[in-house]
Amino acid sequence: MGVIICQTCETTIEHFEEEKVTTLYSNKCPHCQEQAKLEK
């Protein structure tokens, strides 16, 4: 089992099937991307 985590807010974005346990980091989750658009 694997998990994708947002680097900005540390929330879990998605779980996926994997043979071994894996943690991947994404630059920004959809929520953080929306916040960035609103700040501009």
Side-chain angles (χ1 to χ4, degrees), residues 5-8 25-29 32:
I5 298 175
C6 176
Q7 284 182 329
T8 306
Y25 288 91
S26 174
N27 288 335
K28 290 187 178 181
C29 66
C32 289

Side-chain angles (χ1 to χ4, degrees), residues 2-3 9 14 16-17 20 23 35 37 40:
V3 64
C9 65
E14 186 177 343
F16 58 93
E17 292 299 318
K20 59 184 179 179
T23 302
Q35 290 288 32
K37 287 180 186 177
K40 287 184 180 179

